[in-house]
Amino acid sequence: MAIYKGFTSVGRDYVDTAATDEVLIRMDLLNHFNTRVGERLMNPEFGCLVWQYLFDPFTDDAKFAIIENVQDIIKQDPRVILDSIDVTEYEHGLQVVLDVVFSGRDQVEQMAVSFDQRTESADIS
């Protein structure tokens, strides 16, 4: 039995639009990470700061600002608890690796969120 239930509009195939539990949580987090701060109408504080640092030099100050912002994003979702976080630079962007515990589960899962400069989008693996 699913604890959480929602819908997805990802992709063009809308036959199976229901999403549950961890899949729904991952999609909601990805939506938050793909939204730039100030982009959401009537809620200018919503979004992720990584986009502001994506094309700048990756300094310690930038790393700590990103970590703090991602921690705040995770704290806003009561369905997930942050265990650890690491931010690294790669060839075409930044990657945030999160160890999280989903509500109602006792095991830690790793999520890697890649922020790509070429496509200007984030993807969770």
Side-chain angles (χ1 to χ4, degrees), residues 50-121:
V50 175
W51 303 106
Q52 295 176 1
Y53 295 101
L54 195 58
F55 294 97
D56 292 342
F58 188 61
T59 63
D60 285 340
D61 290 340
K63 181 177 182 176
F64 293 128
I66 291 168
I67 288 172
E68 187 175 89
N69 181 244
V70 171
Q71 287 172 336
D72 290 343
I73 290 170
I74 297 296
K75 284 179 189 176
Q76 291 177 18
D77 194 332
R79 303 170 297 177
V80 64
I81 299 166
L82 182 63
D83 190 53
S84 68
I85 183 172
D86 186 37
V87 180
T88 56
E89 189 175 28
Y90 72 99
E91 186 177 345
H92 295 289
L94 298 172
Q95 185 172 51
V96 178
V97 178
L98 308 164
D99 289 332
V100 296
V101 178
F102 293 106
S103 179
R105 311 281 191 255
D106 289 333
Q107 67 186 65
V108 176
E109 290 192 32
Q110 189 172 73
M111 297 171 52
V113 185
S114 300
F115 296 87
D116 198 315
Q117 294 171 340
R118 296 172 296 173
T119 60
E120 293 192 33
S121 66

Side-chain angles (χ1 to χ4, degrees), residues 9-25:
S9 60
V10 176
R12 302 236 178 230
D13 186 15
Y14 295 106
V15 175
D16 184 18
T17 58
T20 59
D21 297 340
E22 288 88 359
V23 174
L24 180 63
I25 296 168

Side-chain angles (χ1 to χ4, degrees), residues 4-48:
Y4 305 109
K5 194 172 193 175
F7 294 94
T8 178
S9 60
V10 176
R12 302 236 178 230
D13 186 15
Y14 295 106
V15 175
D16 184 18
T17 58
T20 59
D21 297 340
E22 288 88 359
V23 174
L24 180 63
I25 296 168
R26 281 189 196 98
M27 288 179 2
D28 288 346
L29 289 174
L30 183 60
N31 180 41
H32 202 139
F33 289 133
N34 268 315
T35 304
R36 289 149 180 83
V37 173
E39 187 175 61
R40 179 154 297 173
L41 187 64
M42 304 298 289
N43 193 356
E45 300 298 317
F46 183 87
C48 186

